[in-house]
Amino acid sequence: MSGNFNSIFQNNAGYVEEMFARYSSDPNSVGIEWRAYFEGFNEGFGTASALANDTPHFQELLKNVSEKTQVQANSKAAESAGSEALAFEMKVAEFVHAWKANGHLQATTNPLPIPPKKFPILALESYGLTTNDLKRATHAGALIGLGSMSLEKLMIELERRFAGTVGAEIEHVDSDEERRWLHAEFSKIYNPISKETQKSIYSELAKADSLEKTIATKYIGKKRFSIEGADAQYPAVESFIDESTKLGVKECTVAIAHRGRLNFLVNVIGKPLEKLFAEWEGYYHDGLHGDCDVKYHYGYESERKSRTGNEVTVSMPFNPSHLEYVDSVVMGDTRARQAMYHNGDTSKVASIVLHGDAAFSGQGIVFETVQMMSLKGYNVGGTVHLVANNQVGFTTDPKDSRSSTYCTDVAKVTGSPVFHINADNLDSLHNLMVLAANYRAKFKKDIYIDLVCFRRYGHNEADEPVFTQPLLYKLIKDKPAPYEEYAKYLSSAHGFLEGDLKSVYDNFRSEMNATFDKVKNSHAKIEQFTPPRDAGELKLASEKDMLKAVKTQLSLNKIKALAQKICTVPESFRVNPKLGRIIIAERKEMADGKKKVDWGMAELLAYASLLEEGYSIRLAGEDAQRGTFSHRHVTLVDSEDASLYTLLSPCASETAKVEVINTLLSEEAAMGYEYGYAVRQAKGLVLWEGQFGDFANGAQVIIDQFIAAGETKWCQTQGLVLLLPHGMEGQGAEHSSARLERFLQLCADGNMQVCYFTNAAQIYHAFRRQLHRNFRKPLILMTPKSFLRSPRASTTLEELATGHFEEILDDLRIGKSNKVERVLFCTGKISLDLFDALEKDEYKNKAETTAIIRIEQLYPFHMEKAVSILSQYKSAKCIAWVQEEPANMGAWSFIRHELENVLKKSGISSHLEYFGRRRRATPAVGIEKWHFIEQEQVIKAALEANTSTEV
């Protein structure tokens, strides 16, 4: 409420004070209406709160009540005299509150001739009021910033404000300040806008329709996922961008699924129309990289001017047909821009995400993404969500696609305001987008606009929507195009000339036809996306490039210095005593060279060395600060005040930033966010860690459509690292496997690296290799669990200083290669199990005749190195692949073909054998003892059997 509602009670101040004093002492001592007032009407509570804050006065009131003084007696007379009038005001106040909270239900937000329903909660009768009360004066208008008026006039104002063509959901917002601000701004939503702005809106609508009609006539029957019916999105986004630039925004990221995407690429993002038509023509040429993609999945970036002439960089990330998955990607991209180009200033880069109604309410990644709004590791200073409410999803009606009242109801989870608007009201839509830009700038929170519109055609232009929505499409069939309706409104209500408006549209059509003819006649070539700014010398790379050696060494003194920094904690920081003994003390021994370097320390040294060189590190994951298996502890928690200290911080140069984030328990959105961040962050290492490797299953769309295929489809390179704990250890089917086989199945065309290391030095060199090459490739890493601290997996500071990354590790135990009778190829944990077995009495006699070759990088497979190693063992009688995963999982299906080629190129005629588990429906058995029996059988077969054996 504006003000304290004082005017309602200006003649009964003593009585109100007395009632509040009674209520404060004993809520049951006042009538139900007063209890309802004091308990429920936040806005009306202003007077009472003010009294309560006047401590001496309030205490005196309580004293008077307790002593039953004359004040109480006097109040009875006041109560008798004013109770009826006050009861009326209370009823009206409750009525007003109902309209503020629920008026949106009756708003005329549908541009189609479907009248809104009537709701009893908004009826006079529901509050004990009747038509006989309409002429009575009330002060309850103060609740919406108005003065005294009749109930009838107040009703008219309530309906105008809360049930017009814009409906507002504000009352669920927790903050009083935000609610007051939102109500004040919403009261101006129907204010007139300038003729210049109206001219821009019309021009944008005309341009949107012109592009759709041009494509439709040039490429008849082809899919374009037309914006028609939701054309208002275009001027809405322009209004947001223009207002945002006035508020200091320098960049704006815009995400959208495929409906309307082509229109946005050209008209909002600034992609030249020639490029779009070239993609439609589709002339193949040798200069194309990868497999390319359909045109309505592409992204773009450009520098352009806002409506009022402000410079702004606008960009749109690439997105496949998985609709809402781009939401998390654009969030990561936005945060990376803020960090890289604007020193983390969220006010300089704004994001607006356009959704579809059915996808927004139906896809779980939406809920995961919106939960990031206020999280320290993810917030971007607020996002504007614009939902194109087509009133149908593919061929499904809303009643079959959601249980909530609105498609936007997920917004209430974060206490964000929601506005529902009739897409035909373009003037108010402009005001609403201005409100949205200012709300984001002021409160740094998300805001939602439910743009109720329609879809002119079916899900795509080849669909016939009448088959499934006959009644809806009878209404749509007779609905004029938005630009036509707006032109009629401008000419009838604002004096625009019809001829002038028509010439604007005709000029667009003419220009677009001329551009088409030019592209058609010249056979213009498709131009693929260029790398993001700050990419420097980064290039596209082949498998051959990926196998070239990279210098990753640092001097021993430098590594020792970094190791000491990692182990040093400020004196004022109180480390948990147990942690101090088992982590800090051990690492100091490693730094001093008294103890070998374990996996966690090698990993931290890789980060530290990159930070010192000016590269940023962003590690996000489920328990990433500690590490699921307590191996990392890169961020410590003070045992007394729970403050945090990140051990890597002192290693960072002035240009580098380190973020280690315990992420929300999400896979899809969290991994998508890091993908978006990694695309933009060319000068840093971005990592996502699953608590267990199989958690990545929940992000399969991000893996398949973005990480594995982003480069071949879109020429979009990035070096995201996935850390996925993997290994069969008797803990059952879940959390044993990171599904190595799925990643290997996706490998081709040099699209990513898939590795399973057995030595801590490997992770050190691999992470440094990620940034010391002139290209970026994703790294999928099966990380250890049980052997994180294994002596076999440990390394030394000297090995870090002098070594380099090894795609394949030969067996250094072997003295004379001509004595080797058995060569076992394997990867990861099973190799350490084999080494352990060869030291047991049972198999000691086979130690010198069995060579264990570890494939550390499965893809790209280093054929030349594998041939070189195997060629030393031509006397071997048994050459096999060993794995602990079932035969239909793990690396076997992928590596078999590669190893058979190795045998062939080595001149060895032996048949490749397989030792491992049989094919299974699950990655591992559920009984621990059963697992260890099987594991022993696999080891025994690998070291003794001469032909393939499955257990």
Side-chain angles (χ1 to χ4, degrees):
M1 174 186 106
S2 298
N4 288 325
F5 206 16
N6 285 334
S7 57
I8 296 176
F9 304 108
Q10 58 189 351
N11 298 319
N12 299 278
Y15 171 58
V16 176
E17 293 177 348
E18 173 67 16
M19 288 299 103
F20 181 62
R22 285 169 175 263
Y23 169 80
S24 300
S25 178
D26 178 8
N28 293 318
S29 68
V30 299
I32 189 170
E33 290 175 338
W34 280 114
R35 289 206 305 274
Y37 176 75
F38 290 132
E39 291 170 3
F41 293 101
N42 294 328
E43 268 98 9
F45 205 60
T47 300
S49 297
L51 293 171
N53 289 332
D54 185 0
T55 304
H57 179 63
F58 181 60
Q59 293 299 328
E60 181 66 24
L61 285 170
L62 290 177
K63 177 182 177 184
N64 290 343
V65 169
S66 63
E67 295 177 357
K68 298 183 179 180
T69 62
Q70 188 61 39
V71 175
Q72 182 180 22
N74 293 341
S75 70
K76 289 182 179 179
E79 183 174 1
S80 175
S83 60
E84 195 280 331
L86 287 167
F88 171 71
E89 292 289 4
M90 286 295 300
K91 291 172 185 177
V92 178
E94 192 176 357
F95 178 65
V96 171
H97 182 74
W99 270 91
K100 290 174 68 179
N102 303 293
H104 56 86
L105 295 170
Q106 218 158 283
T108 312
T109 56
N110 200 330
L112 300 175
I114 302 174
K117 297 177 182 178
K118 296 292 184 182
F119 290 86
I121 197 172
L122 299 174
L124 278 174
E125 295 76 14
S126 297
Y127 304 94
L129 298 168
T130 69
T131 54
N132 294 331
D133 296 314
L134 292 177
K135 301 301 181 183
R136 291 184 66 173
T138 176
H139 298 287
L143 291 169
I144 55 171
L146 302 175
S148 176
M149 64 181 68
S150 69
L151 176 58
E152 184 176 35
K153 288 184 178 179
L154 179 58
M155 282 182 62
I156 293 171
E157 178 59 27
L158 290 172
E159 290 183 11
R160 185 198 73 82
R161 186 179 299 189
F162 297 107
T165 54
V166 188
E169 293 189 88
I170 296 171
E171 294 302 286
H172 64 278
V173 176
D174 291 334
S175 164
D176 290 338
E177 181 190 4
E178 287 179 44
R179 282 200 312 278
R180 286 194 295 271
W181 186 90
L182 287 163
H183 275 299
E185 294 303 309
F186 184 64
S187 69
K188 311 169 192 173
I189 206 71
Y190 299 112
N191 285 3
I193 64 175
S194 70
K195 278 199 167 189
E196 195 63 32
T197 300
Q198 289 175 325
K199 184 178 178 181
S200 295
I201 291 171
Y202 172 77
S203 179
E204 287 149 9
L205 291 173
K207 197 172 184 181
D209 192 87
S210 295
L211 181 57
E212 297 295 350
K213 294 293 196 304
T214 302
I215 295 173
T217 55
K218 305 302 182 185
Y219 304 100
I220 298 171
K222 298 291 186 181
K223 289 181 184 180
R224 57 191 164 93
F225 296 99
S226 153
I227 199 174
E228 291 166 273
D231 311 51
Q233 291 177 101
Y234 175 13
V237 171
E238 289 297 335
S239 294
F240 171 75
I241 291 174
D242 188 54
E243 183 67 16
S244 294
T245 60
K246 295 175 185 176
L247 296 168
V249 167
K250 301 299 181 184
E251 301 191 44
C252 188
T253 57
V254 184
I256 188 172
H258 46 267
R259 181 163 312 287
R261 190 178 184 89
L262 295 179
N263 220 300
F264 262 70
L265 279 169
V266 172
N267 291 329
V268 177
I269 309 302
K271 181 174 184 174
L273 188 55
E274 292 90 339
K275 290 189 176 185
L276 179 63
F277 282 143
E279 290 165 3
W280 274 103
E281 290 298 300
Y283 295 117
Y284 177 81
H285 58 90
D286 293 337
L288 291 175
H289 173 81
D291 297 330
C292 301
D293 199 358
V294 291
K295 56 201 75 65
Y296 41 80
H297 290 170
Y298 284 125
Y300 202 75
E301 178 175 319
S302 74
E303 293 182 8
R304 44 155 287 194
K305 292 184 184 296
S306 69
R307 280 181 189 158
T308 51
N310 294 316
E311 294 286 345
V312 61
T313 299
V314 289
S315 66
M316 178 185 289
F318 297 86
N319 190 48
S321 286
H322 288 268
L323 302 177
E324 298 295 333
Y325 282 77
V326 73
D327 304 355
S328 62
V329 173
V330 76
M331 293 296 98
D333 183 13
T334 302
R335 180 160 172 130
R337 290 170 185 271
Q338 292 168 348
M340 293 176 65
Y341 310 142
H342 304 283
N343 198 31
D345 188 348
T346 60
S347 69
K348 300 301 181 186
V349 186
S351 182
I352 181 166
V353 184
L354 293 92
H355 311 270
D357 53 330
F360 193 66
S361 59
Q363 295 192 1
I365 193 170
V366 172
F367 183 86
E368 293 182 25
T369 304
V370 302
Q371 283 285 6
M372 295 176 174
M373 179 185 77
S374 301
L375 304 185
K376 183 179 179 181
Y378 295 94
N379 76 77
V380 294
T383 300
V384 176
H385 299 269
L386 180 62
V387 182
N389 190 340
N390 296 304
Q391 307 182 65
V392 61
F394 200 0
T395 64
T396 305
D397 292 321
K399 64 182 177 63
D400 295 318
S401 66
R402 67 173 184 265
S403 299
S404 57
T405 302
Y406 294 113
C407 59
T408 51
D409 281 346
V410 68
K412 294 175 183 176
V413 173
T414 58
S416 300
V418 185
F419 296 91
H420 311 274
I421 183 166
N422 187 318
D424 281 353
N425 190 344
L426 277 304
D427 288 9
S428 292
L429 179 59
H430 167 76
N431 288 337
L432 185 54
M433 299 312 294
V434 169
L435 181 156
N438 281 276
Y439 177 82
R440 178 199 175 273
K442 183 175 180 64
F443 297 106
K444 310 296 184 185
K445 286 179 59 179
D446 291 5
I447 184 171
Y448 294 75
I449 291 98
D450 175 17
L451 182 67
V452 186
C453 50
F454 60 93
R455 189 182 70 196
R456 175 68 69 185
Y457 304 106
H459 173 66
N460 63 63
E461 286 67 29
D463 286 339
E464 179 46 79
V466 175
F467 293 162
T468 51
Q469 274 74 33
L471 300 181
L472 180 66
Y473 275 84
K474 279 182 182 178
L475 300 176
I476 291 174
K477 179 174 65 70
D478 298 325
K479 179 82 172 161
Y483 87 93
E484 293 176 312
E485 287 201 323
Y486 195 59
K488 184 177 179 181
Y489 161 74
L490 291 180
S491 58
S492 63
H494 293 280
F496 283 75
L497 298 177
E498 291 183 11
D500 291 346
L501 296 174
K502 187 176 185 304
S503 66
V504 170
Y505 183 86
D506 291 342
N507 287 340
F508 282 137
R509 287 298 302 272
S510 177
E511 290 169 5
M512 290 176 185
N513 284 331
T515 301
F516 169 80
D517 291 339
K518 177 183 175 183
V519 170
K520 188 84 172 175
N521 294 333
S522 64
H523 282 214
K525 291 182 178 180
I526 295 172
E527 293 182 24
Q528 291 178 293
F529 191 67
T530 53
R533 81 190 102 135
D534 283 5
E537 300 299 317
L538 295 184
K539 64 171 190 175
L540 298 170
S542 64
E543 284 187 21
K544 186 177 179 181
D545 295 322
M546 296 167 72
L547 292 173
K548 290 178 180 176
V550 180
K551 186 179 184 302
T552 55
Q553 295 94 341
L554 281 176
S555 72
L556 182 58
N557 287 338
K558 178 69 70 177
I559 293 174
K560 285 182 176 180
L562 290 171
Q564 291 294 341
K565 282 186 179 181
I566 290 172
C567 300
T568 303
V569 180
E571 289 184 10
S572 60
F573 191 88
R574 291 148 299 193
V575 180
N576 178 286
K578 185 177 179 181
L579 198 59
R581 290 194 306 272
I582 65 174
I583 295 291
I584 303 301
E586 282 192 7
R587 286 181 181 167
K588 283 183 177 177
E589 290 186 47
M590 295 176 197
D592 293 336
K594 297 176 182 177
K595 189 173 183 178
K596 278 196 164 187
V597 176
D598 65 11
W599 188 279
M601 184 63 164
E603 180 187 348
L604 295 189
L605 283 169
Y607 299 146
S609 65
L610 292 169
L611 285 166
E612 189 178 61
E613 292 170 346
Y615 296 103
S616 291
I617 302 292
R618 178 180 166 90
L619 168 61
E622 297 150 337
D623 304 317
Q625 292 178 345
R626 184 198 73 171
T628 297
F629 309 102
S630 287
H631 76 287
R632 183 177 291 121
H633 281 289
V634 61
T635 299
L636 304 179
V637 182
D638 189 290
S639 59
E640 297 296 326
D641 62 14
S643 60
L644 302 179
Y645 178 73
T646 298
L647 295 168
L648 293 172
S649 297
C651 303
S653 69
E654 289 184 6
T655 59
K657 182 180 180 182
V658 57
E659 290 185 288
V660 183
I661 300 154
N662 280 343
T663 179
L664 70 167
L665 196 61
S666 155
E667 287 82 45
E668 281 182 339
M671 192 186 294
Y673 192 102
E674 302 312 324
Y675 173 86
Y677 199 101
V679 165
R680 183 61 40 191
Q681 176 56 286
K683 294 182 177 179
L685 190 64
V686 184
L687 311 95
W688 181 84
E689 183 173 52
Q691 192 176 67
F692 290 92
D694 62 329
F695 281 28
N697 293 347
Q700 205 62 50
V701 170
I702 299 297
I703 294 166
D704 291 353
Q705 301 292 347
F706 292 89
I707 295 173
E711 181 178 328
T712 190
K713 290 191 296 187
W714 311 319
C715 279
Q716 186 168 76
T717 64
Q718 44 77 34
L720 180 63
V721 179
L722 300 188
L723 303 176
L724 308 175
H726 175 88
M728 312 294 113
E729 295 171 353
Q731 300 302 306
E734 272 61 72
H735 310 335
S736 290
S737 174
R739 294 294 187 176
L740 174 60
E741 64 280 357
R742 292 183 184 170
F743 290 99
L744 291 173
Q745 188 182 39
L746 294 169
C747 290
D749 301 323
N751 62 335
M752 57 184 176
Q753 306 145 111
V754 178
C755 301
Y756 192 3
F757 302 149
T758 58
N759 184 282
Q762 291 284 72
I763 193 171
Y764 172 85
H765 291 295
F767 283 176
R768 289 185 54 74
R769 182 181 69 159
Q770 277 293 95
L771 298 184
H772 280 267
R773 298 187 291 195
N774 62 348
F775 57 86
R776 296 286 179 263
K777 297 284 183 178
L779 170 59
I780 315 301
L781 186 54
M782 305 290 111
T783 60
K785 296 185 289 183
S786 63
F787 72 88
L788 279 168
R789 297 177 181 85
S790 168
R792 290 197 183 278
S794 61
T795 185
T796 64
L797 296 177
E798 288 75 15
E799 287 171 345
L800 298 183
T802 60
H804 59 276
F805 180 76
E806 299 275 8
E807 292 86 356
I808 303 174
L809 291 175
D810 196 1
D811 193 340
L812 300 180
R813 299 176 308 110
I814 302 301
K816 297 181 179 179
S817 59
N818 60 355
K819 285 188 176 183
V820 171
E821 298 176 357
R822 181 181 295 264
V823 176
L824 302 179
F825 285 96
C826 51
T827 186
K829 172 180 166 290
I830 192 71
S831 65
L832 303 187
D833 293 345
L834 289 167
F835 284 130
D836 287 343
L838 288 172
E839 291 182 356
K840 294 178 181 178
D841 292 341
E842 184 180 356
Y843 301 113
K844 269 188 178 178
N845 63 327
K846 299 181 180 295
E848 293 185 2
T849 60
T850 303
I852 299 171
I853 301 173
R854 290 168 280 173
I855 309 297
E856 300 279 296
Q857 179 173 287
L858 293 154
Y859 182 83
F861 182 72
H862 204 310
M863 179 66 68
E864 184 180 335
K865 188 172 285 189
V867 171
S868 174
I869 291 173
L870 185 60
S871 296
Q872 303 173 83
Y873 304 112
K874 291 195 174 180
S875 59
K877 296 172 184 155
C878 178
I879 298 174
W881 173 257
V882 186
Q883 69 176 39
E884 58 182 0
E885 301 90 348
N888 57 322
M889 302 177 197
W892 174 234
S893 297
F894 171 84
I895 206 71
R896 181 175 187 173
H897 175 71
E898 301 287 2
L899 291 180
E900 285 173 347
N901 278 338
V902 171
L903 265 67
K904 187 176 180 180
K905 292 184 178 183
S906 301
I908 297 175
S909 58
S910 298
H911 177 70
L912 181 66
E913 307 295 343
Y914 167 80
F915 299 122
R917 287 175 169 82
R918 62 176 177 82
R919 295 171 64 86
R920 274 207 164 93
T922 61
V925 297
I927 301 173
E928 189 174 26
K929 288 183 179 179
W930 186 2
H931 160 77
F932 286 112
I933 290 170
E934 281 190 347
Q935 196 77 353
E936 287 177 11
Q937 290 173 341
V938 171
I939 298 296
K940 184 177 179 64
L943 296 178
E944 293 184 344
N946 293 317
T947 58
S948 294
T949 304
E950 296 183 2
V951 303

